[in-house]
Amino acid sequence: MLKGKSALVTGSTSGIGLAVASALAARGVNVMLNGFGDPVQIEALRVKLAKDHGVRVEYHGADMSRPEEIAAMMGAAAAAFGAVDILVNNAGIQFVSPVEEFPPEKWEAIIAINLVALFHTIRHAVPGMKQRKWGRIINIASAHALVASPFKSAYVAAKHGVAGLTKTIALETATSGITCNAICPGYVLTPLVQKQIPDTAKARGISEEAVVRDVLLAAQPTKQFVTVEQVAALALFLAGDEAAAITGTLQAIDGGWTAQ
Ligand code: NAD
């Protein structure tokens, strides 16, 4: 039963994170949202989620590239809910470029937000989970935690790092009622993917239509984007008691991409 538990979903003002936060709220979970965006829209989202599902919804605007802001957010979540039962590490960014032209500050931002932030949220969340003898850590990784693609050196390095972190935390928490798993989606048509289409077109010297057909969906044997709802459904399953024996895994949800 998830009703009455509490969750923190990083990067939940958009895309996959928003779908996961909404799905958790719909199961009666109190949620802390995080992410960037228009403050008026975020407040409207917060109020709507709380009203629609009769749960408590909080928001914290911590920048996941800043460890001191992450610490403040984790403190606020613990103060609001007692502890974070379900931690969903979802916030992420992308940048596409050949390695020799990759701006070092972009590399560092991707590693900070897509990898280092998870170390900080996890280290703050685990003591409360251990105290309650129950916890779920769900890292939204990527098919790029399992395989590489050209021009995404920072992203692929960060997501492979998330895979290693996931397994390590699973082993460290295995006897504490806590599970730690990674979800590895293929391409999901969110703003993160929409934004990289023009850059990929430039890096490969092809049209944007060709990027969708020959690069993105070419990777997925189903020739379909994965949907945010499908990713959220998998996260819900991993959060449930039925998934108590699943820990340290990298769950592909990629239309067959990594089967090739
Ligand atoms: P998105 O751009 O729609 O959402 C990203 C979210 O992260 C937003 O809420 C944004 O505000 C937040 N965010 C970005 N930088 C932040 C920062 N510094 N601090 C706090 N929040 C920040 O992207 P999405 O596609 O929903 O991606 C979510 C996660 O899923 C990412 O980790 C991404 O790598 C992963 N993923 C996405 C796809 C895909 O095809 N879309 C595939 C595999 C994995």
Side-chain angles (χ1 to χ4, degrees), residues 10-17 34-37 62-65 90-93 113-114 140-143 155 159 184-193 195:
T10 70
S12 43
T13 53
S14 168
I16 293 170
N34 157 261
F36 299 148
D63 180 338
M64 290 300 109
S65 68
N90 167 80
I93 58 167
I113 295 163
N114 294 16
I140 307 299
S142 169
Y155 189 85
K159 295 297 187 180
C184 301
Y187 285 108
V188 188
L189 198 55
T190 65
L192 180 140
V193 166
K195 274 185 251 163

PDB file of all heavy atoms in Angstrom, residues 10-17 34-37 62-65 90-93 113-114 140-143 155 159 184-193 195, ligand 1:
ATOM      1  N   THR A  10      12.559  14.537  -8.048  1.00  0.00           N
ATOM      2  CA  THR A  10      13.339  15.663  -8.582  1.00  0.00           C
ATOM      3  C   THR A  10      12.958  15.878 -10.047  1.00  0.00           C
ATOM      4  O   THR A  10      12.607  14.942 -10.762  1.00  0.00           O
ATOM      5  CB  THR A  10      14.857  15.441  -8.433  1.00  0.00           C
ATOM      6  OG1 THR A  10      15.277  14.407  -9.328  1.00  0.00           O
ATOM      7  CG2 THR A  10      15.233  15.079  -6.998  1.00  0.00           C
ATOM      8  N   GLY A  11      13.014  17.117 -10.468  1.00  0.00           N
ATOM      9  CA  GLY A  11      12.687  17.433 -11.866  1.00  0.00           C
ATOM     10  C   GLY A  11      11.265  17.053 -12.231  1.00  0.00           C
ATOM     11  O   GLY A  11      11.014  16.488 -13.299  1.00  0.00           O
ATOM     12  N   SER A  12      10.312  17.396 -11.357  1.00  0.00           N
ATOM     13  CA  SER A  12       8.939  16.937 -11.591  1.00  0.00           C
ATOM     14  C   SER A  12       8.010  18.044 -12.083  1.00  0.00           C
ATOM     15  O   SER A  12       6.792  17.927 -11.993  1.00  0.00           O
ATOM     16  CB  SER A  12       8.382  16.284 -10.324  1.00  0.00           C
ATOM     17  OG  SER A  12       8.701  17.024  -9.175  1.00  0.00           O
ATOM     18  N   THR A  13       8.599  19.119 -12.634  1.00  0.00           N
ATOM     19  CA  THR A  13       7.760  20.162 -13.238  1.00  0.00           C
ATOM     20  C   THR A  13       7.527  19.897 -14.725  1.00  0.00           C
ATOM     21  O   THR A  13       6.881  20.700 -15.400  1.00  0.00           O
ATOM     22  CB  THR A  13       8.420  21.542 -13.062  1.00  0.00           C
ATOM     23  OG1 THR A  13       9.769  21.481 -13.569  1.00  0.00           O
ATOM     24  CG2 THR A  13       8.445  21.961 -11.601  1.00  0.00           C
ATOM     25  N   SER A  14       8.047  18.788 -15.246  1.00  0.00           N
ATOM     26  CA  SER A  14       7.944  18.533 -16.683  1.00  0.00           C
ATOM     27  C   SER A  14       8.128  17.040 -16.944  1.00  0.00           C
ATOM     28  O   SER A  14       8.656  16.309 -16.097  1.00  0.00           O
ATOM     29  CB  SER A  14       9.055  19.333 -17.399  1.00  0.00           C
ATOM     30  OG  SER A  14       9.204  18.947 -18.740  1.00  0.00           O
ATOM     31  N   GLY A  15       7.689  16.603 -18.101  1.00  0.00           N
ATOM     32  CA  GLY A  15       8.058  15.291 -18.650  1.00  0.00           C
ATOM     33  C   GLY A  15       7.824  14.095 -17.745  1.00  0.00           C
ATOM     34  O   GLY A  15       6.759  13.930 -17.136  1.00  0.00           O
ATOM     35  N   ILE A  16       8.840  13.238 -17.670  1.00  0.00           N
ATOM     36  CA  ILE A  16       8.734  11.968 -16.939  1.00  0.00           C
ATOM     37  C   ILE A  16       8.493  12.223 -15.448  1.00  0.00           C
ATOM     38  O   ILE A  16       7.657  11.576 -14.818  1.00  0.00           O
ATOM     39  CB  ILE A  16      10.021  11.130 -17.152  1.00  0.00           C
ATOM     40  CG1 ILE A  16      10.128  10.685 -18.628  1.00  0.00           C
ATOM     41  CG2 ILE A  16      10.052   9.928 -16.216  1.00  0.00           C
ATOM     42  CD1 ILE A  16      11.467  10.069 -19.006  1.00  0.00           C
ATOM     43  N   GLY A  17       9.222  13.178 -14.874  1.00  0.00           N
ATOM     44  CA  GLY A  17       9.087  13.449 -13.442  1.00  0.00           C
ATOM     45  C   GLY A  17       7.678  13.876 -13.076  1.00  0.00           C
ATOM     46  O   GLY A  17       7.124  13.447 -12.048  1.00  0.00           O
ATOM     47  N   ASN A  34       9.840  19.212  -7.478  1.00  0.00           N
ATOM     48  CA  ASN A  34      11.069  19.998  -7.639  1.00  0.00           C
ATOM     49  C   ASN A  34      11.272  20.210  -9.132  1.00  0.00           C
ATOM     50  O   ASN A  34      10.814  19.424  -9.942  1.00  0.00           O
ATOM     51  CB  ASN A  34      12.254  19.211  -7.025  1.00  0.00           C
ATOM     52  CG  ASN A  34      13.600  19.627  -7.589  1.00  0.00           C
ATOM     53  OD1 ASN A  34      14.153  18.981  -8.483  1.00  0.00           O
ATOM     54  ND2 ASN A  34      14.114  20.723  -7.081  1.00  0.00           N
ATOM     55  N   GLY A  35      11.960  21.283  -9.453  1.00  0.00           N
ATOM     56  CA  GLY A  35      12.266  21.534 -10.866  1.00  0.00           C
ATOM     57  C   GLY A  35      12.088  22.994 -11.185  1.00  0.00           C
ATOM     58  O   GLY A  35      11.607  23.778 -10.359  1.00  0.00           O
ATOM     59  N   PHE A  36      12.492  23.355 -12.380  1.00  0.00           N
ATOM     60  CA  PHE A  36      12.414  24.747 -12.806  1.00  0.00           C
ATOM     61  C   PHE A  36      11.104  24.996 -13.554  1.00  0.00           C
ATOM     62  O   PHE A  36      10.433  24.059 -13.974  1.00  0.00           O
ATOM     63  CB  PHE A  36      13.595  25.081 -13.720  1.00  0.00           C
ATOM     64  CG  PHE A  36      14.937  24.919 -13.062  1.00  0.00           C
ATOM     65  CD1 PHE A  36      16.048  24.519 -13.802  1.00  0.00           C
ATOM     66  CD2 PHE A  36      15.107  25.176 -11.700  1.00  0.00           C
ATOM     67  CE1 PHE A  36      17.291  24.382 -13.200  1.00  0.00           C
ATOM     68  CE2 PHE A  36      16.348  25.043 -11.091  1.00  0.00           C
ATOM     69  CZ  PHE A  36      17.444  24.641 -11.845  1.00  0.00           C
ATOM     70  N   GLY A  37      10.812  26.287 -13.745  1.00  0.00           N
ATOM     71  CA  GLY A  37       9.629  26.653 -14.515  1.00  0.00           C
ATOM     72  C   GLY A  37       9.025  27.941 -14.009  1.00  0.00           C
ATOM     73  O   GLY A  37       9.540  28.565 -13.081  1.00  0.00           O
ATOM     74  N   ALA A  62      15.021  23.657  -5.411  1.00  0.00           N
ATOM     75  CA  ALA A  62      16.476  23.419  -5.363  1.00  0.00           C
ATOM     76  C   ALA A  62      17.044  23.132  -6.743  1.00  0.00           C
ATOM     77  O   ALA A  62      16.455  22.379  -7.523  1.00  0.00           O
ATOM     78  CB  ALA A  62      16.771  22.246  -4.434  1.00  0.00           C
ATOM     79  N   ASP A  63      18.200  23.724  -7.001  1.00  0.00           N
ATOM     80  CA  ASP A  63      18.952  23.455  -8.224  1.00  0.00           C
ATOM     81  C   ASP A  63      19.810  22.217  -7.965  1.00  0.00           C
ATOM     82  O   ASP A  63      20.661  22.212  -7.070  1.00  0.00           O
ATOM     83  CB  ASP A  63      19.838  24.679  -8.530  1.00  0.00           C
ATOM     84  CG  ASP A  63      20.667  24.501  -9.791  1.00  0.00           C
ATOM     85  OD1 ASP A  63      20.895  23.348 -10.211  1.00  0.00           O
ATOM     86  OD2 ASP A  63      21.101  25.528 -10.345  1.00  0.00           O
ATOM     87  N   MET A  64      19.578  21.169  -8.733  1.00  0.00           N
ATOM     88  CA  MET A  64      20.246  19.882  -8.496  1.00  0.00           C
ATOM     89  C   MET A  64      21.750  19.923  -8.768  1.00  0.00           C
ATOM     90  O   MET A  64      22.451  18.956  -8.491  1.00  0.00           O
ATOM     91  CB  MET A  64      19.606  18.783  -9.366  1.00  0.00           C
ATOM     92  CG  MET A  64      18.224  18.387  -8.947  1.00  0.00           C
ATOM     93  SD  MET A  64      18.172  17.739  -7.267  1.00  0.00           S
ATOM     94  CE  MET A  64      17.362  19.080  -6.480  1.00  0.00           C
ATOM     95  N   SER A  65      22.234  21.038  -9.303  1.00  0.00           N
ATOM     96  CA  SER A  65      23.689  21.150  -9.475  1.00  0.00           C
ATOM     97  C   SER A  65      24.342  21.743  -8.230  1.00  0.00           C
ATOM     98  O   SER A  65      25.556  21.921  -8.197  1.00  0.00           O
ATOM     99  CB  SER A  65      24.023  21.996 -10.711  1.00  0.00           C
ATOM    100  OG  SER A  65      23.638  23.342 -10.492  1.00  0.00           O
ATOM    101  N   ASN A  90      15.066  12.035 -10.777  1.00  0.00           N
ATOM    102  CA  ASN A  90      14.651  12.145 -12.179  1.00  0.00           C
ATOM    103  C   ASN A  90      15.258  13.341 -12.906  1.00  0.00           C
ATOM    104  O   ASN A  90      15.452  13.286 -14.119  1.00  0.00           O
ATOM    105  CB  ASN A  90      13.123  12.218 -12.226  1.00  0.00           C
ATOM    106  CG  ASN A  90      12.627  12.641 -13.587  1.00  0.00           C
ATOM    107  OD1 ASN A  90      12.558  11.838 -14.515  1.00  0.00           O
ATOM    108  ND2 ASN A  90      12.301  13.924 -13.737  1.00  0.00           N
ATOM    109  N   ALA A  91      15.549  14.429 -12.198  1.00  0.00           N
ATOM    110  CA  ALA A  91      16.006  15.643 -12.887  1.00  0.00           C
ATOM    111  C   ALA A  91      17.194  15.312 -13.791  1.00  0.00           C
ATOM    112  O   ALA A  91      18.102  14.576 -13.395  1.00  0.00           O
ATOM    113  CB  ALA A  91      16.412  16.711 -11.875  1.00  0.00           C
ATOM    114  N   GLY A  92      17.173  15.844 -14.977  1.00  0.00           N
ATOM    115  CA  GLY A  92      18.283  15.573 -15.887  1.00  0.00           C
ATOM    116  C   GLY A  92      18.314  16.566 -17.025  1.00  0.00           C
ATOM    117  O   GLY A  92      17.294  17.182 -17.358  1.00  0.00           O
ATOM    118  N   ILE A  93      19.498  16.731 -17.578  1.00  0.00           N
ATOM    119  CA  ILE A  93      19.666  17.591 -18.753  1.00  0.00           C
ATOM    120  C   ILE A  93      20.494  16.835 -19.791  1.00  0.00           C
ATOM    121  O   ILE A  93      21.101  15.811 -19.484  1.00  0.00           O
ATOM    122  CB  ILE A  93      20.354  18.941 -18.410  1.00  0.00           C
ATOM    123  CG1 ILE A  93      21.723  18.715 -17.775  1.00  0.00           C
ATOM    124  CG2 ILE A  93      19.459  19.774 -17.503  1.00  0.00           C
ATOM    125  CD1 ILE A  93      22.589  19.964 -17.707  1.00  0.00           C
ATOM    126  N   ILE A 113      24.222  17.336 -12.427  1.00  0.00           N
ATOM    127  CA  ILE A 113      22.760  17.189 -12.299  1.00  0.00           C
ATOM    128  C   ILE A 113      22.336  15.733 -12.491  1.00  0.00           C
ATOM    129  O   ILE A 113      21.487  15.224 -11.753  1.00  0.00           O
ATOM    130  CB  ILE A 113      22.051  18.117 -13.316  1.00  0.00           C
ATOM    131  CG1 ILE A 113      22.341  19.577 -12.957  1.00  0.00           C
ATOM    132  CG2 ILE A 113      20.552  17.840 -13.369  1.00  0.00           C
ATOM    133  CD1 ILE A 113      22.062  20.573 -14.064  1.00  0.00           C
ATOM    134  N   ASN A 114      22.935  15.050 -13.469  1.00  0.00           N
ATOM    135  CA  ASN A 114      22.472  13.700 -13.825  1.00  0.00           C
ATOM    136  C   ASN A 114      23.126  12.614 -12.974  1.00  0.00           C
ATOM    137  O   ASN A 114      22.661  11.473 -12.972  1.00  0.00           O
ATOM    138  CB  ASN A 114      22.765  13.398 -15.301  1.00  0.00           C
ATOM    139  CG  ASN A 114      21.977  14.282 -16.262  1.00  0.00           C
ATOM    140  OD1 ASN A 114      21.429  15.300 -15.868  1.00  0.00           O
ATOM    141  ND2 ASN A 114      21.945  13.897 -17.522  1.00  0.00           N
ATOM    142  N   ILE A 140      15.831   7.503 -12.364  1.00  0.00           N
ATOM    143  CA  ILE A 140      15.468   7.515 -13.779  1.00  0.00           C
ATOM    144  C   ILE A 140      16.783   7.667 -14.556  1.00  0.00           C
ATOM    145  O   ILE A 140      17.334   8.771 -14.666  1.00  0.00           O
ATOM    146  CB  ILE A 140      14.476   8.645 -14.125  1.00  0.00           C
ATOM    147  CG1 ILE A 140      13.231   8.590 -13.204  1.00  0.00           C
ATOM    148  CG2 ILE A 140      14.069   8.539 -15.607  1.00  0.00           C
ATOM    149  CD1 ILE A 140      12.388   7.323 -13.259  1.00  0.00           C
ATOM    150  N   ALA A 141      17.281   6.534 -15.012  1.00  0.00           N
ATOM    151  CA  ALA A 141      18.548   6.526 -15.761  1.00  0.00           C
ATOM    152  C   ALA A 141      18.207   6.703 -17.233  1.00  0.00           C
ATOM    153  O   ALA A 141      17.604   7.709 -17.609  1.00  0.00           O
ATOM    154  CB  ALA A 141      19.318   5.248 -15.475  1.00  0.00           C
ATOM    155  N   SER A 142      18.522   5.711 -18.052  1.00  0.00           N
ATOM    156  CA  SER A 142      18.282   5.823 -19.491  1.00  0.00           C
ATOM    157  C   SER A 142      18.779   4.550 -20.156  1.00  0.00           C
ATOM    158  O   SER A 142      19.609   3.824 -19.575  1.00  0.00           O
ATOM    159  CB  SER A 142      19.095   7.017 -20.044  1.00  0.00           C
ATOM    160  OG  SER A 142      19.099   7.003 -21.462  1.00  0.00           O
ATOM    161  N   ALA A 143      18.312   4.292 -21.372  1.00  0.00           N
ATOM    162  CA  ALA A 143      18.961   3.251 -22.175  1.00  0.00           C
ATOM    163  C   ALA A 143      20.454   3.564 -22.278  1.00  0.00           C
ATOM    164  O   ALA A 143      21.288   2.660 -22.427  1.00  0.00           O
ATOM    165  CB  ALA A 143      18.338   3.190 -23.568  1.00  0.00           C
ATOM    166  N   TYR A 155      26.430  12.684 -21.071  1.00  0.00           N
ATOM    167  CA  TYR A 155      25.164  12.028 -20.678  1.00  0.00           C
ATOM    168  C   TYR A 155      25.370  10.529 -20.483  1.00  0.00           C
ATOM    169  O   TYR A 155      24.925   9.953 -19.479  1.00  0.00           O
ATOM    170  CB  TYR A 155      24.128  12.307 -21.767  1.00  0.00           C
ATOM    171  CG  TYR A 155      22.718  11.889 -21.443  1.00  0.00           C
ATOM    172  CD1 TYR A 155      21.861  12.720 -20.732  1.00  0.00           C
ATOM    173  CD2 TYR A 155      22.217  10.663 -21.874  1.00  0.00           C
ATOM    174  CE1 TYR A 155      20.549  12.345 -20.457  1.00  0.00           C
ATOM    175  CE2 TYR A 155      20.908  10.283 -21.610  1.00  0.00           C
ATOM    176  CZ  TYR A 155      20.075  11.131 -20.907  1.00  0.00           C
ATOM    177  OH  TYR A 155      18.771  10.756 -20.641  1.00  0.00           O
ATOM    178  N   LYS A 159      24.969   8.562 -17.001  1.00  0.00           N
ATOM    179  CA  LYS A 159      23.951   7.509 -16.836  1.00  0.00           C
ATOM    180  C   LYS A 159      24.596   6.153 -16.534  1.00  0.00           C
ATOM    181  O   LYS A 159      24.024   5.366 -15.759  1.00  0.00           O
ATOM    182  CB  LYS A 159      23.058   7.431 -18.073  1.00  0.00           C
ATOM    183  CG  LYS A 159      22.204   8.695 -18.304  1.00  0.00           C
ATOM    184  CD  LYS A 159      21.207   8.953 -17.186  1.00  0.00           C
ATOM    185  CE  LYS A 159      20.267  10.107 -17.512  1.00  0.00           C
ATOM    186  NZ  LYS A 159      19.300  10.386 -16.443  1.00  0.00           N
ATOM    187  N   CYS A 184      15.406   2.511 -17.099  1.00  0.00           N
ATOM    188  CA  CYS A 184      16.222   2.902 -18.258  1.00  0.00           C
ATOM    189  C   CYS A 184      15.331   3.087 -19.484  1.00  0.00           C
ATOM    190  O   CYS A 184      15.199   2.171 -20.313  1.00  0.00           O
ATOM    191  CB  CYS A 184      17.277   1.834 -18.512  1.00  0.00           C
ATOM    192  SG  CYS A 184      18.369   1.567 -17.101  1.00  0.00           S
ATOM    193  N   PRO A 185      14.707   4.268 -19.609  1.00  0.00           N
ATOM    194  CA  PRO A 185      13.819   4.464 -20.755  1.00  0.00           C
ATOM    195  C   PRO A 185      14.604   4.657 -22.056  1.00  0.00           C
ATOM    196  O   PRO A 185      15.699   5.214 -22.064  1.00  0.00           O
ATOM    197  CB  PRO A 185      13.061   5.761 -20.410  1.00  0.00           C
ATOM    198  CG  PRO A 185      13.389   6.069 -18.979  1.00  0.00           C
ATOM    199  CD  PRO A 185      14.714   5.435 -18.717  1.00  0.00           C
ATOM    200  N   GLY A 186      13.968   4.214 -23.137  1.00  0.00           N
ATOM    201  CA  GLY A 186      14.414   4.634 -24.465  1.00  0.00           C
ATOM    202  C   GLY A 186      13.905   6.046 -24.692  1.00  0.00           C
ATOM    203  O   GLY A 186      13.693   6.799 -23.743  1.00  0.00           O
ATOM    204  N   TYR A 187      13.695   6.410 -25.954  1.00  0.00           N
ATOM    205  CA  TYR A 187      13.282   7.793 -26.232  1.00  0.00           C
ATOM    206  C   TYR A 187      11.821   8.040 -25.847  1.00  0.00           C
ATOM    207  O   TYR A 187      10.927   7.284 -26.223  1.00  0.00           O
ATOM    208  CB  TYR A 187      13.483   8.115 -27.710  1.00  0.00           C
ATOM    209  CG  TYR A 187      14.948   8.329 -28.031  1.00  0.00           C
ATOM    210  CD1 TYR A 187      15.671   7.388 -28.764  1.00  0.00           C
ATOM    211  CD2 TYR A 187      15.616   9.465 -27.572  1.00  0.00           C
ATOM    212  CE1 TYR A 187      17.021   7.574 -29.043  1.00  0.00           C
ATOM    213  CE2 TYR A 187      16.959   9.660 -27.841  1.00  0.00           C
ATOM    214  CZ  TYR A 187      17.654   8.712 -28.576  1.00  0.00           C
ATOM    215  OH  TYR A 187      18.984   8.903 -28.834  1.00  0.00           O
ATOM    216  N   VAL A 188      11.639   9.088 -25.057  1.00  0.00           N
ATOM    217  CA  VAL A 188      10.314   9.536 -24.623  1.00  0.00           C
ATOM    218  C   VAL A 188      10.191  10.965 -25.157  1.00  0.00           C
ATOM    219  O   VAL A 188      11.118  11.766 -24.966  1.00  0.00           O
ATOM    220  CB  VAL A 188      10.221   9.548 -23.078  1.00  0.00           C
ATOM    221  CG1 VAL A 188       8.793   9.827 -22.621  1.00  0.00           C
ATOM    222  CG2 VAL A 188      10.737   8.247 -22.475  1.00  0.00           C
ATOM    223  N   LEU A 189       9.089  11.289 -25.793  1.00  0.00           N
ATOM    224  CA  LEU A 189       8.997  12.612 -26.438  1.00  0.00           C
ATOM    225  C   LEU A 189       8.639  13.687 -25.404  1.00  0.00           C
ATOM    226  O   LEU A 189       7.492  14.100 -25.291  1.00  0.00           O
ATOM    227  CB  LEU A 189       7.985  12.573 -27.584  1.00  0.00           C
ATOM    228  CG  LEU A 189       8.105  13.718 -28.595  1.00  0.00           C
ATOM    229  CD1 LEU A 189       9.507  13.816 -29.182  1.00  0.00           C
ATOM    230  CD2 LEU A 189       7.090  13.556 -29.713  1.00  0.00           C
ATOM    231  N   THR A 190       9.647  14.120 -24.662  1.00  0.00           N
ATOM    232  CA  THR A 190       9.507  15.192 -23.671  1.00  0.00           C
ATOM    233  C   THR A 190      10.318  16.390 -24.161  1.00  0.00           C
ATOM    234  O   THR A 190      11.077  16.273 -25.129  1.00  0.00           O
ATOM    235  CB  THR A 190      10.073  14.740 -22.314  1.00  0.00           C
ATOM    236  OG1 THR A 190      11.485  14.548 -22.496  1.00  0.00           O
ATOM    237  CG2 THR A 190       9.445  13.452 -21.810  1.00  0.00           C
ATOM    238  N   PRO A 191      10.219  17.536 -23.451  1.00  0.00           N
ATOM    239  CA  PRO A 191      11.036  18.686 -23.858  1.00  0.00           C
ATOM    240  C   PRO A 191      12.526  18.367 -23.961  1.00  0.00           C
ATOM    241  O   PRO A 191      13.226  18.895 -24.823  1.00  0.00           O
ATOM    242  CB  PRO A 191      10.760  19.710 -22.749  1.00  0.00           C
ATOM    243  CG  PRO A 191       9.372  19.373 -22.282  1.00  0.00           C
ATOM    244  CD  PRO A 191       9.263  17.875 -22.381  1.00  0.00           C
ATOM    245  N   LEU A 192      13.033  17.445 -23.104  1.00  0.00           N
ATOM    246  CA  LEU A 192      14.460  17.091 -23.146  1.00  0.00           C
ATOM    247  C   LEU A 192      14.849  16.526 -24.508  1.00  0.00           C
ATOM    248  O   LEU A 192      15.912  16.831 -25.046  1.00  0.00           O
ATOM    249  CB  LEU A 192      14.776  16.086 -22.029  1.00  0.00           C
ATOM    250  CG  LEU A 192      16.211  15.583 -21.897  1.00  0.00           C
ATOM    251  CD1 LEU A 192      16.605  15.483 -20.428  1.00  0.00           C
ATOM    252  CD2 LEU A 192      16.391  14.230 -22.557  1.00  0.00           C
ATOM    253  N   VAL A 193      13.980  15.704 -25.077  1.00  0.00           N
ATOM    254  CA  VAL A 193      14.262  15.104 -26.384  1.00  0.00           C
ATOM    255  C   VAL A 193      13.986  16.114 -27.499  1.00  0.00           C
ATOM    256  O   VAL A 193      14.769  16.255 -28.440  1.00  0.00           O
ATOM    257  CB  VAL A 193      13.433  13.815 -26.578  1.00  0.00           C
ATOM    258  CG1 VAL A 193      13.445  13.358 -28.029  1.00  0.00           C
ATOM    259  CG2 VAL A 193      13.972  12.716 -25.674  1.00  0.00           C
ATOM    260  N   LYS A 195      14.315  19.246 -27.475  1.00  0.00           N
ATOM    261  CA  LYS A 195      15.385  20.249 -27.562  1.00  0.00           C
ATOM    262  C   LYS A 195      16.622  19.721 -28.261  1.00  0.00           C
ATOM    263  O   LYS A 195      17.386  20.489 -28.828  1.00  0.00           O
ATOM    264  CB  LYS A 195      15.774  20.701 -26.137  1.00  0.00           C
ATOM    265  CG  LYS A 195      14.905  21.837 -25.613  1.00  0.00           C
ATOM    266  CD  LYS A 195      15.410  22.327 -24.260  1.00  0.00           C
ATOM    267  CE  LYS A 195      14.467  21.913 -23.165  1.00  0.00           C
ATOM    268  NZ  LYS A 195      14.931  21.939 -21.809  1.00  0.00           N
TER     269      LYS A 195
HETATM  270  P1  NAD B   1      12.337  17.264 -19.173  1.00  0.00           P
HETATM  271  O1  NAD B   1      13.267  18.266 -19.743  1.00  0.00           O
HETATM  272  O2  NAD B   1      10.929  17.187 -19.651  1.00  0.00           O
HETATM  273  O3  NAD B   1      12.287  17.428 -17.579  1.00  0.00           O
HETATM  274  C1  NAD B   1      13.459  17.615 -16.837  1.00  0.00           C
HETATM  275  C2  NAD B   1      13.077  18.097 -15.455  1.00  0.00           C
HETATM  276  O4  NAD B   1      14.287  18.308 -14.714  1.00  0.00           O
HETATM  277  C3  NAD B   1      12.334  19.438 -15.458  1.00  0.00           C
HETATM  278  O5  NAD B   1      11.389  19.443 -14.422  1.00  0.00           O
HETATM  279  C4  NAD B   1      13.452  20.439 -15.168  1.00  0.00           C
HETATM  280  O6  NAD B   1      12.998  21.640 -14.577  1.00  0.00           O
HETATM  281  C5  NAD B   1      14.276  19.632 -14.197  1.00  0.00           C
HETATM  282  N1  NAD B   1      15.645  20.110 -14.062  1.00  0.00           N
HETATM  283  C6  NAD B   1      16.559  20.323 -15.029  1.00  0.00           C
HETATM  284  N2  NAD B   1      17.692  20.816 -14.492  1.00  0.00           N
HETATM  285  C7  NAD B   1      17.467  20.907 -13.156  1.00  0.00           C
HETATM  286  C8  NAD B   1      18.251  21.342 -12.071  1.00  0.00           C
HETATM  287  N3  NAD B   1      19.506  21.798 -12.222  1.00  0.00           N
HETATM  288  N4  NAD B   1      17.702  21.306 -10.836  1.00  0.00           N
HETATM  289  C9  NAD B   1      16.422  20.889 -10.644  1.00  0.00           C
HETATM  290  N5  NAD B   1      15.642  20.454 -11.644  1.00  0.00           N
HETATM  291  C10 NAD B   1      16.163  20.471 -12.885  1.00  0.00           C
HETATM  292  O7  NAD B   1      13.079  15.860 -19.360  1.00  0.00           O
HETATM  293  P2  NAD B   1      12.581  14.339 -19.293  1.00  0.00           P
HETATM  294  O8  NAD B   1      12.734  13.770 -20.630  1.00  0.00           O
HETATM  295  O9  NAD B   1      11.305  14.198 -18.565  1.00  0.00           O
HETATM  296  O10 NAD B   1      13.783  13.726 -18.431  1.00  0.00           O
HETATM  297  C11 NAD B   1      13.643  13.300 -17.110  1.00  0.00           C
HETATM  298  C12 NAD B   1      14.718  12.247 -16.842  1.00  0.00           C
HETATM  299  O11 NAD B   1      14.512  11.134 -17.701  1.00  0.00           O
HETATM  300  C13 NAD B   1      16.144  12.735 -17.080  1.00  0.00           C
HETATM  301  O12 NAD B   1      17.008  12.238 -16.072  1.00  0.00           O
HETATM  302  C14 NAD B   1      16.486  12.112 -18.421  1.00  0.00           C
HETATM  303  O13 NAD B   1      17.862  11.912 -18.572  1.00  0.00           O
HETATM  304  C15 NAD B   1      15.719  10.805 -18.323  1.00  0.00           C
HETATM  305  N6  NAD B   1      15.450  10.177 -19.613  1.00  0.00           N
HETATM  306  C16 NAD B   1      14.714  10.819 -20.562  1.00  0.00           C
HETATM  307  C17 NAD B   1      14.500  10.193 -21.766  1.00  0.00           C
HETATM  308  C18 NAD B   1      13.713  10.825 -22.865  1.00  0.00           C
HETATM  309  O14 NAD B   1      13.748  10.293 -23.976  1.00  0.00           O
HETATM  310  N7  NAD B   1      12.994  11.908 -22.623  1.00  0.00           N
HETATM  311  C19 NAD B   1      15.026   8.920 -22.005  1.00  0.00           C
HETATM  312  C20 NAD B   1      15.765   8.310 -21.020  1.00  0.00           C
HETATM  313  C21 NAD B   1      15.964   8.947 -19.824  1.00  0.00           C
END
